[in-house]
Amino acid sequence: MFIIKLADDVNRYLQNQRSKGSITGFVPTMGALHKGHLSLIEASKSANVVTVCSIFVNPTQFNDPKDFQNYPITLENDIYLLEKAGCDVLFLPAVSEIYPEGTKEKKPAYELGYLETVLEGKYRPGHFQGVCQVMDRLMQIVQPHNLYIGQKDYQQCMVIKKLLSIIGSQAHINICTTLREPDGLAMSSRNMRLSSQERELATGIFEALSYIRQQIKPGDLSNLLQGARKILEKKQLVPDYIEIGDADNLSLLNEWNGKTKIVALIAAFMGKVRLIDNMILPLNFADYGN
Ligand code: AMP
């Protein structure tokens, strides 16, 4: 695996690969890699000649400076895992490579509209502008044929789709399913910041989502959401939000017509660690006459 730190170098290397006709896949990450990240590498390897992974803890997407300071860094292990997974190129830039003109918010902002006003957008002001800044720059540098991102960050997938249309990128987006621990907890770099007791309680998020999936019926959703909220409370999880939205545009629903494809989304604190997860509902869509 080549480890490349300079944007110009990785750009030149990949341009050369593309000119030889190599199809390239790109997996952007913030490191502290786990099996979820590696499943994206695997998906890229199965469909591309060259797989590029980036590790960059992007300062502009952290609305909470403490979250940025405490973000786990496990570079040596990440390199080991990527080598083992057969990744071809690791792009490992310094902040100055991604933000040659500094990290101040770019003007004008990316026009994300409604998407930026709800859920993560509401609770993490500026977060998606930071995501767009880094993804815009990474896409310019890497120019992949295929981009691999995780459904775990559901709203982020929608934001990135919108960004690609704003910047006119032709890259194909591949959204990969969420990998979970055996007890259902979605794999996340942040899980390693949980104490063993917190780690056990954190399964409440998956339990609440599973409860919604099992209990959902057409009609009013408030009792269902109340029941899910109680599951979180019982596990000492403090939610920022627990919502059900239209899976295609994330408009939030108080009622379900039994037909629209929907997604349940949760963000909750376990101690000082903020966790997010989601589930597309109902899994058995055919049951509802679609
Ligand atoms: P991050 O390093 O957290 O920015 O994540 C990098 C990429 O991995 C993003 O596209 C995430 O959505 C994806 N990802 C994170 N956790 C998982 C998971 N448990 N399963 C699959 N993909 C994931």
Side-chain angles (χ1 to χ4, degrees):
M1 180 173 73
F2 293 119
I3 301 178
I4 305 180
K5 295 191 171 179
L6 300 182
D8 284 348
D9 289 352
V10 81
N11 180 265
R12 205 173 311 117
Y13 175 80
L14 292 169
Q15 224 164 8
N16 188 32
Q17 290 293 324
R18 280 193 304 275
S19 70
K20 289 194 267 182
S22 300
I23 304 293
T24 56
F26 178 40
V27 181
T29 81
M30 298 206 296
L33 300 183
H34 50 69
K35 286 184 188 150
H37 296 116
L38 298 177
S39 73
L40 271 54
I41 300 284
E42 221 171 275
S44 172
K45 277 194 68 70
S46 71
N48 298 277
V49 176
V50 178
T51 289
V52 184
C53 176
S54 64
I55 295 181
F56 180 66
V57 184
N58 174 32
T60 66
Q61 73 184 70
F62 286 85
N63 54 311
D64 174 0
K66 280 213 182 93
D67 190 26
F68 178 54
Q69 280 155 21
N70 293 329
Y71 202 82
I73 292 174
T74 60
L75 186 57
E76 219 172 291
N77 191 50
D78 292 351
I79 292 172
Y80 168 76
L81 292 173
L82 288 172
E83 290 267 16
K84 213 165 78 166
C87 181
D88 301 294
V89 177
L90 167 58
F91 178 40
L92 195 59
V95 173
S96 56
E97 285 298 298
I98 300 296
Y99 298 106
E101 282 155 28
T103 53
K104 270 191 109 185
E105 202 171 310
K106 208 164 132 184
K107 305 269 182 221
Y110 299 89
E111 286 290 337
L112 300 174
Y114 168 79
L115 255 187
E116 206 178 7
T117 65
V118 286
L119 305 166
E120 293 301 283
K122 177 174 169 188
Y123 285 90
R124 300 187 67 187
H127 168 63
F128 285 132
Q129 289 297 323
V131 169
C132 286
Q133 283 186 49
V134 73
M135 283 305 297
D136 187 353
R137 176 85 173 120
L138 286 171
M139 292 301 287
Q140 278 175 34
I141 297 167
V142 178
Q143 294 179 33
H145 295 96
N146 287 298
L147 175 66
Y148 295 83
I149 53 179
Q151 189 206 308
K152 155 89 166 37
D153 298 281
Y154 193 91
Q155 193 174 7
Q156 176 171 278
C157 291
M158 297 180 77
V159 165
I160 291 174
K161 259 190 205 166
K162 188 149 192 172
L163 172 73
L164 294 200
S165 77
I166 292 171
I167 64 175
S169 165
Q170 298 297 313
H172 179 72
I173 297 189
N174 301 268
I175 298 179
C176 303
T177 52
T178 303
L179 255 70
R180 299 180 179 282
E181 301 291 353
D183 60 9
L185 178 68
M187 289 180 185
S188 164
S189 305
R190 288 188 168 87
N191 293 350
M192 63 179 79
R193 290 183 49 211
L194 299 168
S195 69
S196 60
Q197 197 203 0
E198 287 173 337
R199 165 65 190 79
E200 267 179 46
L201 292 166
T203 55
I205 295 178
F206 179 70
E207 282 165 34
L209 289 170
S210 304
Y211 169 82
I212 293 173
R213 185 186 61 196
Q214 282 153 18
Q215 302 289 325
I216 190 148
K217 289 196 281 297
D220 184 76
L221 297 172
S222 51
N223 285 343
L224 181 68
L225 289 172
Q226 189 66 26
R229 195 171 280 274
K230 280 201 181 122
I231 295 174
L232 296 184
E233 274 167 20
K234 224 168 146 184
K235 293 278 172 99
Q236 295 162 40
L237 282 150
V238 180
D240 263 353
Y241 58 80
I242 169 160
E243 296 279 6
I244 294 174
D246 183 312
D248 292 328
N249 58 27
L250 279 189
S251 63
L252 303 183
L253 304 174
N254 301 316
E255 262 185 38
W256 182 44
N257 61 13
K259 290 183 183 149
T260 312
K261 190 177 172 192
I262 50 178
V263 57
L265 309 110
I266 292 179
F269 281 91
M270 171 45 68
K272 293 199 164 98
V273 183
R274 188 175 184 277
L275 301 170
I276 62 169
D277 199 355
N278 66 81
M279 224 178 247
I280 293 175
L281 311 168
L283 286 187
N284 233 343
F285 207 42
D287 291 353
Y288 293 86
N290 268 284

PDB file of all heavy atoms in Angstrom, residues 201-235:
ATOM      1  N   LEU A 201     -24.784  -0.412  28.014  1.00  0.00           N
ATOM      2  CA  LEU A 201     -26.024   0.373  27.972  1.00  0.00           C
ATOM      3  C   LEU A 201     -26.292   0.941  26.576  1.00  0.00           C
ATOM      4  O   LEU A 201     -27.450   1.162  26.199  1.00  0.00           O
ATOM      5  CB  LEU A 201     -25.942   1.516  28.989  1.00  0.00           C
ATOM      6  CG  LEU A 201     -25.955   1.090  30.465  1.00  0.00           C
ATOM      7  CD1 LEU A 201     -25.522   2.250  31.359  1.00  0.00           C
ATOM      8  CD2 LEU A 201     -27.348   0.597  30.879  1.00  0.00           C
ATOM      9  N   ALA A 202     -25.221   1.156  25.817  1.00  0.00           N
ATOM     10  CA  ALA A 202     -25.367   1.792  24.492  1.00  0.00           C
ATOM     11  C   ALA A 202     -26.217   0.960  23.527  1.00  0.00           C
ATOM     12  O   ALA A 202     -26.720   1.484  22.537  1.00  0.00           O
ATOM     13  CB  ALA A 202     -23.988   2.053  23.882  1.00  0.00           C
ATOM     14  N   THR A 203     -26.408  -0.313  23.839  1.00  0.00           N
ATOM     15  CA  THR A 203     -27.248  -1.159  22.962  1.00  0.00           C
ATOM     16  C   THR A 203     -28.702  -0.677  22.961  1.00  0.00           C
ATOM     17  O   THR A 203     -29.483  -1.091  22.105  1.00  0.00           O
ATOM     18  CB  THR A 203     -27.254  -2.629  23.438  1.00  0.00           C
ATOM     19  OG1 THR A 203     -27.668  -2.637  24.798  1.00  0.00           O
ATOM     20  CG2 THR A 203     -25.895  -3.275  23.284  1.00  0.00           C
ATOM     21  N   GLY A 204     -29.054   0.204  23.913  1.00  0.00           N
ATOM     22  CA  GLY A 204     -30.411   0.761  23.974  1.00  0.00           C
ATOM     23  C   GLY A 204     -30.814   1.426  22.664  1.00  0.00           C
ATOM     24  O   GLY A 204     -32.003   1.443  22.313  1.00  0.00           O
ATOM     25  N   ILE A 205     -29.844   1.968  21.935  1.00  0.00           N
ATOM     26  CA  ILE A 205     -30.177   2.642  20.662  1.00  0.00           C
ATOM     27  C   ILE A 205     -30.709   1.618  19.663  1.00  0.00           C
ATOM     28  O   ILE A 205     -31.751   1.821  19.037  1.00  0.00           O
ATOM     29  CB  ILE A 205     -28.945   3.387  20.093  1.00  0.00           C
ATOM     30  CG1 ILE A 205     -28.541   4.518  21.044  1.00  0.00           C
ATOM     31  CG2 ILE A 205     -29.235   3.932  18.696  1.00  0.00           C
ATOM     32  CD1 ILE A 205     -27.320   5.301  20.614  1.00  0.00           C
ATOM     33  N   PHE A 206     -30.009   0.499  19.556  1.00  0.00           N
ATOM     34  CA  PHE A 206     -30.457  -0.557  18.635  1.00  0.00           C
ATOM     35  C   PHE A 206     -31.794  -1.129  19.103  1.00  0.00           C
ATOM     36  O   PHE A 206     -32.684  -1.409  18.291  1.00  0.00           O
ATOM     37  CB  PHE A 206     -29.395  -1.657  18.550  1.00  0.00           C
ATOM     38  CG  PHE A 206     -29.777  -2.805  17.654  1.00  0.00           C
ATOM     39  CD1 PHE A 206     -29.845  -2.625  16.286  1.00  0.00           C
ATOM     40  CD2 PHE A 206     -30.074  -4.062  18.174  1.00  0.00           C
ATOM     41  CE1 PHE A 206     -30.200  -3.674  15.444  1.00  0.00           C
ATOM     42  CE2 PHE A 206     -30.431  -5.114  17.342  1.00  0.00           C
ATOM     43  CZ  PHE A 206     -30.500  -4.923  15.977  1.00  0.00           C
ATOM     44  N   GLU A 207     -31.940  -1.272  20.431  1.00  0.00           N
ATOM     45  CA  GLU A 207     -33.210  -1.795  20.960  1.00  0.00           C
ATOM     46  C   GLU A 207     -34.367  -0.866  20.614  1.00  0.00           C
ATOM     47  O   GLU A 207     -35.453  -1.318  20.235  1.00  0.00           O
ATOM     48  CB  GLU A 207     -33.131  -1.960  22.482  1.00  0.00           C
ATOM     49  CG  GLU A 207     -32.359  -3.210  22.889  1.00  0.00           C
ATOM     50  CD  GLU A 207     -31.981  -3.163  24.356  1.00  0.00           C
ATOM     51  OE1 GLU A 207     -32.746  -2.622  25.180  1.00  0.00           O
ATOM     52  OE2 GLU A 207     -30.876  -3.674  24.676  1.00  0.00           O
ATOM     53  N   ALA A 208     -34.134   0.439  20.756  1.00  0.00           N
ATOM     54  CA  ALA A 208     -35.207   1.408  20.457  1.00  0.00           C
ATOM     55  C   ALA A 208     -35.565   1.366  18.969  1.00  0.00           C
ATOM     56  O   ALA A 208     -36.748   1.389  18.602  1.00  0.00           O
ATOM     57  CB  ALA A 208     -34.772   2.811  20.871  1.00  0.00           C
ATOM     58  N   LEU A 209     -34.553   1.259  18.109  1.00  0.00           N
ATOM     59  CA  LEU A 209     -34.822   1.195  16.663  1.00  0.00           C
ATOM     60  C   LEU A 209     -35.552  -0.103  16.314  1.00  0.00           C
ATOM     61  O   LEU A 209     -36.481  -0.111  15.498  1.00  0.00           O
ATOM     62  CB  LEU A 209     -33.509   1.290  15.871  1.00  0.00           C
ATOM     63  CG  LEU A 209     -32.815   2.656  15.879  1.00  0.00           C
ATOM     64  CD1 LEU A 209     -31.416   2.560  15.267  1.00  0.00           C
ATOM     65  CD2 LEU A 209     -33.640   3.703  15.127  1.00  0.00           C
ATOM     66  N   SER A 210     -35.139  -1.196  16.960  1.00  0.00           N
ATOM     67  CA  SER A 210     -35.785  -2.491  16.679  1.00  0.00           C
ATOM     68  C   SER A 210     -37.237  -2.473  17.147  1.00  0.00           C
ATOM     69  O   SER A 210     -38.115  -3.042  16.494  1.00  0.00           O
ATOM     70  CB  SER A 210     -35.038  -3.629  17.384  1.00  0.00           C
ATOM     71  OG  SER A 210     -33.698  -3.621  16.994  1.00  0.00           O
ATOM     72  N   TYR A 211     -37.459  -1.823  18.296  1.00  0.00           N
ATOM     73  CA  TYR A 211     -38.832  -1.681  18.815  1.00  0.00           C
ATOM     74  C   TYR A 211     -39.695  -0.937  17.800  1.00  0.00           C
ATOM     75  O   TYR A 211     -40.817  -1.360  17.489  1.00  0.00           O
ATOM     76  CB  TYR A 211     -38.769  -0.933  20.157  1.00  0.00           C
ATOM     77  CG  TYR A 211     -40.101  -0.471  20.686  1.00  0.00           C
ATOM     78  CD1 TYR A 211     -40.928  -1.344  21.391  1.00  0.00           C
ATOM     79  CD2 TYR A 211     -40.524   0.849  20.498  1.00  0.00           C
ATOM     80  CE1 TYR A 211     -42.161  -0.909  21.878  1.00  0.00           C
ATOM     81  CE2 TYR A 211     -41.736   1.282  20.984  1.00  0.00           C
ATOM     82  CZ  TYR A 211     -42.554   0.402  21.671  1.00  0.00           C
ATOM     83  OH  TYR A 211     -43.762   0.838  22.151  1.00  0.00           O
ATOM     84  N   ILE A 212     -39.173   0.141  17.271  1.00  0.00           N
ATOM     85  CA  ILE A 212     -39.934   0.905  16.260  1.00  0.00           C
ATOM     86  C   ILE A 212     -40.217   0.018  15.053  1.00  0.00           C
ATOM     87  O   ILE A 212     -41.341  -0.028  14.547  1.00  0.00           O
ATOM     88  CB  ILE A 212     -39.151   2.178  15.836  1.00  0.00           C
ATOM     89  CG1 ILE A 212     -39.071   3.158  17.002  1.00  0.00           C
ATOM     90  CG2 ILE A 212     -39.805   2.841  14.627  1.00  0.00           C
ATOM     91  CD1 ILE A 212     -38.184   4.372  16.757  1.00  0.00           C
ATOM     92  N   ARG A 213     -39.189  -0.718  14.613  1.00  0.00           N
ATOM     93  CA  ARG A 213     -39.371  -1.570  13.429  1.00  0.00           C
ATOM     94  C   ARG A 213     -40.456  -2.620  13.663  1.00  0.00           C
ATOM     95  O   ARG A 213     -41.281  -2.898  12.801  1.00  0.00           O
ATOM     96  CB  ARG A 213     -38.041  -2.255  13.076  1.00  0.00           C
ATOM     97  CG  ARG A 213     -38.106  -3.060  11.790  1.00  0.00           C
ATOM     98  CD  ARG A 213     -36.820  -3.832  11.556  1.00  0.00           C
ATOM     99  NE  ARG A 213     -36.593  -4.774  12.635  1.00  0.00           N
ATOM    100  CZ  ARG A 213     -35.423  -5.373  12.883  1.00  0.00           C
ATOM    101  NH1 ARG A 213     -34.378  -5.084  12.150  1.00  0.00           N
ATOM    102  NH2 ARG A 213     -35.308  -6.230  13.855  1.00  0.00           N
ATOM    103  N   GLN A 214     -40.466  -3.185  14.888  1.00  0.00           N
ATOM    104  CA  GLN A 214     -41.448  -4.236  15.174  1.00  0.00           C
ATOM    105  C   GLN A 214     -42.855  -3.701  15.379  1.00  0.00           C
ATOM    106  O   GLN A 214     -43.836  -4.342  15.026  1.00  0.00           O
ATOM    107  CB  GLN A 214     -41.024  -5.011  16.437  1.00  0.00           C
ATOM    108  CG  GLN A 214     -39.915  -6.010  16.172  1.00  0.00           C
ATOM    109  CD  GLN A 214     -39.069  -6.256  17.426  1.00  0.00           C
ATOM    110  OE1 GLN A 214     -39.489  -5.945  18.538  1.00  0.00           O
ATOM    111  NE2 GLN A 214     -37.879  -6.815  17.235  1.00  0.00           N
ATOM    112  N   GLN A 215     -42.946  -2.519  15.982  1.00  0.00           N
ATOM    113  CA  GLN A 215     -44.263  -2.018  16.412  1.00  0.00           C
ATOM    114  C   GLN A 215     -44.928  -1.083  15.416  1.00  0.00           C
ATOM    115  O   GLN A 215     -46.091  -0.748  15.593  1.00  0.00           O
ATOM    116  CB  GLN A 215     -44.125  -1.272  17.753  1.00  0.00           C
ATOM    117  CG  GLN A 215     -43.544  -2.092  18.890  1.00  0.00           C
ATOM    118  CD  GLN A 215     -44.520  -3.144  19.378  1.00  0.00           C
ATOM    119  OE1 GLN A 215     -45.720  -2.927  19.389  1.00  0.00           O
ATOM    120  NE2 GLN A 215     -43.997  -4.307  19.753  1.00  0.00           N
ATOM    121  N   ILE A 216     -44.204  -0.644  14.416  1.00  0.00           N
ATOM    122  CA  ILE A 216     -44.768   0.419  13.568  1.00  0.00           C
ATOM    123  C   ILE A 216     -46.019  -0.033  12.817  1.00  0.00           C
ATOM    124  O   ILE A 216     -46.081  -1.162  12.308  1.00  0.00           O
ATOM    125  CB  ILE A 216     -43.704   0.988  12.593  1.00  0.00           C
ATOM    126  CG1 ILE A 216     -44.255   2.238  11.902  1.00  0.00           C
ATOM    127  CG2 ILE A 216     -43.262  -0.050  11.562  1.00  0.00           C
ATOM    128  CD1 ILE A 216     -43.221   3.250  11.568  1.00  0.00           C
ATOM    129  N   LYS A 217     -47.024   0.867  12.842  1.00  0.00           N
ATOM    130  CA  LYS A 217     -48.281   0.621  12.117  1.00  0.00           C
ATOM    131  C   LYS A 217     -48.663   1.939  11.456  1.00  0.00           C
ATOM    132  O   LYS A 217     -48.305   3.017  11.951  1.00  0.00           O
ATOM    133  CB  LYS A 217     -49.404   0.267  13.105  1.00  0.00           C
ATOM    134  CG  LYS A 217     -49.269  -1.105  13.739  1.00  0.00           C
ATOM    135  CD  LYS A 217     -50.576  -1.544  14.382  1.00  0.00           C
ATOM    136  CE  LYS A 217     -50.871  -0.950  15.737  1.00  0.00           C
ATOM    137  NZ  LYS A 217     -50.064  -1.168  16.868  1.00  0.00           N
ATOM    138  N   PRO A 218     -49.408   1.875  10.367  1.00  0.00           N
ATOM    139  CA  PRO A 218     -49.892   3.124   9.785  1.00  0.00           C
ATOM    140  C   PRO A 218     -50.700   3.913  10.818  1.00  0.00           C
ATOM    141  O   PRO A 218     -51.352   3.322  11.685  1.00  0.00           O
ATOM    142  CB  PRO A 218     -50.788   2.649   8.626  1.00  0.00           C
ATOM    143  CG  PRO A 218     -50.278   1.285   8.276  1.00  0.00           C
ATOM    144  CD  PRO A 218     -49.812   0.690   9.564  1.00  0.00           C
ATOM    145  N   GLY A 219     -50.626   5.247  10.724  1.00  0.00           N
ATOM    146  CA  GLY A 219     -51.370   6.103  11.655  1.00  0.00           C
ATOM    147  C   GLY A 219     -50.431   6.977  12.461  1.00  0.00           C
ATOM    148  O   GLY A 219     -49.276   7.200  12.075  1.00  0.00           O
ATOM    149  N   ASP A 220     -50.929   7.438  13.607  1.00  0.00           N
ATOM    150  CA  ASP A 220     -50.177   8.353  14.458  1.00  0.00           C
ATOM    151  C   ASP A 220     -48.918   7.671  15.032  1.00  0.00           C
ATOM    152  O   ASP A 220     -48.964   6.523  15.456  1.00  0.00           O
ATOM    153  CB  ASP A 220     -51.084   8.824  15.602  1.00  0.00           C
ATOM    154  CG  ASP A 220     -50.377   9.844  16.456  1.00  0.00           C
ATOM    155  OD1 ASP A 220     -50.264  10.992  16.006  1.00  0.00           O
ATOM    156  OD2 ASP A 220     -49.898   9.481  17.553  1.00  0.00           O
ATOM    157  N   LEU A 221     -47.796   8.415  15.052  1.00  0.00           N
ATOM    158  CA  LEU A 221     -46.521   7.800  15.470  1.00  0.00           C
ATOM    159  C   LEU A 221     -46.094   8.216  16.880  1.00  0.00           C
ATOM    160  O   LEU A 221     -45.062   7.747  17.369  1.00  0.00           O
ATOM    161  CB  LEU A 221     -45.419   8.192  14.483  1.00  0.00           C
ATOM    162  CG  LEU A 221     -45.605   7.714  13.032  1.00  0.00           C
ATOM    163  CD1 LEU A 221     -44.549   8.345  12.131  1.00  0.00           C
ATOM    164  CD2 LEU A 221     -45.518   6.187  12.950  1.00  0.00           C
ATOM    165  N   SER A 222     -46.893   9.082  17.535  1.00  0.00           N
ATOM    166  CA  SER A 222     -46.379   9.667  18.783  1.00  0.00           C
ATOM    167  C   SER A 222     -46.214   8.634  19.901  1.00  0.00           C
ATOM    168  O   SER A 222     -45.205   8.666  20.625  1.00  0.00           O
ATOM    169  CB  SER A 222     -47.239  10.839  19.240  1.00  0.00           C
ATOM    170  OG  SER A 222     -48.580  10.464  19.259  1.00  0.00           O
ATOM    171  N   ASN A 223     -47.154   7.680  20.033  1.00  0.00           N
ATOM    172  CA  ASN A 223     -47.000   6.665  21.086  1.00  0.00           C
ATOM    173  C   ASN A 223     -45.798   5.770  20.834  1.00  0.00           C
ATOM    174  O   ASN A 223     -45.083   5.376  21.755  1.00  0.00           O
ATOM    175  CB  ASN A 223     -48.257   5.786  21.190  1.00  0.00           C
ATOM    176  CG  ASN A 223     -49.381   6.536  21.869  1.00  0.00           C
ATOM    177  OD1 ASN A 223     -49.142   7.551  22.522  1.00  0.00           O
ATOM    178  ND2 ASN A 223     -50.603   6.052  21.688  1.00  0.00           N
ATOM    179  N   LEU A 224     -45.594   5.458  19.559  1.00  0.00           N
ATOM    180  CA  LEU A 224     -44.454   4.618  19.177  1.00  0.00           C
ATOM    181  C   LEU A 224     -43.136   5.299  19.558  1.00  0.00           C
ATOM    182  O   LEU A 224     -42.240   4.679  20.168  1.00  0.00           O
ATOM    183  CB  LEU A 224     -44.513   4.380  17.665  1.00  0.00           C
ATOM    184  CG  LEU A 224     -43.419   3.512  17.080  1.00  0.00           C
ATOM    185  CD1 LEU A 224     -43.558   2.076  17.545  1.00  0.00           C
ATOM    186  CD2 LEU A 224     -43.453   3.561  15.541  1.00  0.00           C
ATOM    187  N   LEU A 225     -43.036   6.587  19.240  1.00  0.00           N
ATOM    188  CA  LEU A 225     -41.808   7.323  19.548  1.00  0.00           C
ATOM    189  C   LEU A 225     -41.626   7.466  21.063  1.00  0.00           C
ATOM    190  O   LEU A 225     -40.511   7.400  21.578  1.00  0.00           O
ATOM    191  CB  LEU A 225     -41.823   8.698  18.868  1.00  0.00           C
ATOM    192  CG  LEU A 225     -41.665   8.635  17.340  1.00  0.00           C
ATOM    193  CD1 LEU A 225     -41.886  10.004  16.699  1.00  0.00           C
ATOM    194  CD2 LEU A 225     -40.300   8.092  16.943  1.00  0.00           C
ATOM    195  N   GLN A 226     -42.746   7.618  21.749  1.00  0.00           N
ATOM    196  CA  GLN A 226     -42.716   7.691  23.222  1.00  0.00           C
ATOM    197  C   GLN A 226     -42.157   6.385  23.804  1.00  0.00           C
ATOM    198  O   GLN A 226     -41.321   6.393  24.706  1.00  0.00           O
ATOM    199  CB  GLN A 226     -44.148   7.942  23.720  1.00  0.00           C
ATOM    200  CG  GLN A 226     -44.282   8.262  25.176  1.00  0.00           C
ATOM    201  CD  GLN A 226     -43.625   9.591  25.499  1.00  0.00           C
ATOM    202  OE1 GLN A 226     -43.505  10.463  24.620  1.00  0.00           O
ATOM    203  NE2 GLN A 226     -43.157   9.733  26.726  1.00  0.00           N
ATOM    204  N   GLY A 227     -42.646   5.267  23.273  1.00  0.00           N
ATOM    205  CA  GLY A 227     -42.171   3.949  23.732  1.00  0.00           C
ATOM    206  C   GLY A 227     -40.678   3.784  23.486  1.00  0.00           C
ATOM    207  O   GLY A 227     -39.943   3.286  24.349  1.00  0.00           O
ATOM    208  N   ALA A 228     -40.217   4.227  22.333  1.00  0.00           N
ATOM    209  CA  ALA A 228     -38.793   4.113  22.008  1.00  0.00           C
ATOM    210  C   ALA A 228     -37.959   5.006  22.918  1.00  0.00           C
ATOM    211  O   ALA A 228     -36.876   4.629  23.370  1.00  0.00           O
ATOM    212  CB  ALA A 228     -38.579   4.497  20.544  1.00  0.00           C
ATOM    213  N   ARG A 229     -38.505   6.185  23.221  1.00  0.00           N
ATOM    214  CA  ARG A 229     -37.820   7.129  24.115  1.00  0.00           C
ATOM    215  C   ARG A 229     -37.623   6.504  25.501  1.00  0.00           C
ATOM    216  O   ARG A 229     -36.579   6.655  26.134  1.00  0.00           O
ATOM    217  CB  ARG A 229     -38.654   8.412  24.214  1.00  0.00           C
ATOM    218  CG  ARG A 229     -37.957   9.600  24.782  1.00  0.00           C
ATOM    219  CD  ARG A 229     -38.825  10.832  24.598  1.00  0.00           C
ATOM    220  NE  ARG A 229     -38.731  11.373  23.259  1.00  0.00           N
ATOM    221  CZ  ARG A 229     -37.799  12.235  22.866  1.00  0.00           C
ATOM    222  NH1 ARG A 229     -36.903  12.661  23.729  1.00  0.00           N
ATOM    223  NH2 ARG A 229     -37.780  12.684  21.632  1.00  0.00           N
ATOM    224  N   LYS A 230     -38.637   5.766  25.944  1.00  0.00           N
ATOM    225  CA  LYS A 230     -38.564   5.111  27.263  1.00  0.00           C
ATOM    226  C   LYS A 230     -37.440   4.074  27.288  1.00  0.00           C
ATOM    227  O   LYS A 230     -36.757   3.903  28.295  1.00  0.00           O
ATOM    228  CB  LYS A 230     -39.899   4.436  27.594  1.00  0.00           C
ATOM    229  CG  LYS A 230     -40.912   5.414  28.110  1.00  0.00           C
ATOM    230  CD  LYS A 230     -42.019   4.725  28.900  1.00  0.00           C
ATOM    231  CE  LYS A 230     -43.021   5.758  29.376  1.00  0.00           C
ATOM    232  NZ  LYS A 230     -44.379   5.498  28.913  1.00  0.00           N
ATOM    233  N   ILE A 231     -37.267   3.375  26.178  1.00  0.00           N
ATOM    234  CA  ILE A 231     -36.182   2.378  26.103  1.00  0.00           C
ATOM    235  C   ILE A 231     -34.826   3.071  26.261  1.00  0.00           C
ATOM    236  O   ILE A 231     -33.950   2.601  26.991  1.00  0.00           O
ATOM    237  CB  ILE A 231     -36.259   1.599  24.763  1.00  0.00           C
ATOM    238  CG1 ILE A 231     -37.541   0.772  24.717  1.00  0.00           C
ATOM    239  CG2 ILE A 231     -35.023   0.715  24.568  1.00  0.00           C
ATOM    240  CD1 ILE A 231     -37.814   0.074  23.393  1.00  0.00           C
ATOM    241  N   LEU A 232     -34.685   4.213  25.617  1.00  0.00           N
ATOM    242  CA  LEU A 232     -33.423   4.964  25.739  1.00  0.00           C
ATOM    243  C   LEU A 232     -33.210   5.406  27.183  1.00  0.00           C
ATOM    244  O   LEU A 232     -32.114   5.250  27.746  1.00  0.00           O
ATOM    245  CB  LEU A 232     -33.429   6.191  24.825  1.00  0.00           C
ATOM    246  CG  LEU A 232     -33.488   5.961  23.315  1.00  0.00           C
ATOM    247  CD1 LEU A 232     -33.397   7.293  22.569  1.00  0.00           C
ATOM    248  CD2 LEU A 232     -32.372   5.041  22.833  1.00  0.00           C
ATOM    249  N   GLU A 233     -34.271   5.950  27.785  1.00  0.00           N
ATOM    250  CA  GLU A 233     -34.175   6.451  29.167  1.00  0.00           C
ATOM    251  C   GLU A 233     -33.749   5.353  30.123  1.00  0.00           C
ATOM    252  O   GLU A 233     -32.900   5.552  30.988  1.00  0.00           O
ATOM    253  CB  GLU A 233     -35.521   7.013  29.624  1.00  0.00           C
ATOM    254  CG  GLU A 233     -35.727   8.459  29.226  1.00  0.00           C
ATOM    255  CD  GLU A 233     -37.176   8.893  29.400  1.00  0.00           C
ATOM    256  OE1 GLU A 233     -37.927   8.240  30.167  1.00  0.00           O
ATOM    257  OE2 GLU A 233     -37.565   9.876  28.730  1.00  0.00           O
ATOM    258  N   LYS A 234     -34.342   4.171  29.930  1.00  0.00           N
ATOM    259  CA  LYS A 234     -34.051   3.030  30.798  1.00  0.00           C
ATOM    260  C   LYS A 234     -32.561   2.660  30.744  1.00  0.00           C
ATOM    261  O   LYS A 234     -31.990   2.178  31.706  1.00  0.00           O
ATOM    262  CB  LYS A 234     -34.886   1.831  30.329  1.00  0.00           C
ATOM    263  CG  LYS A 234     -35.528   1.058  31.452  1.00  0.00           C
ATOM    264  CD  LYS A 234     -36.535   0.121  30.868  1.00  0.00           C
ATOM    265  CE  LYS A 234     -36.614  -1.165  31.643  1.00  0.00           C
ATOM    266  NZ  LYS A 234     -37.539  -2.087  30.982  1.00  0.00           N
ATOM    267  N   LYS A 235     -31.959   2.910  29.601  1.00  0.00           N
ATOM    268  CA  LYS A 235     -30.534   2.601  29.418  1.00  0.00           C
ATOM    269  C   LYS A 235     -29.650   3.833  29.629  1.00  0.00           C
ATOM    270  O   LYS A 235     -28.499   3.850  29.191  1.00  0.00           O
ATOM    271  CB  LYS A 235     -30.308   2.024  28.011  1.00  0.00           C
ATOM    272  CG  LYS A 235     -30.944   0.657  27.782  1.00  0.00           C
ATOM    273  CD  LYS A 235     -30.060  -0.444  28.332  1.00  0.00           C
ATOM    274  CE  LYS A 235     -30.706  -1.792  28.304  1.00  0.00           C
ATOM    275  NZ  LYS A 235     -30.334  -2.630  27.199  1.00  0.00           N
TER     276      LYS A 235
END
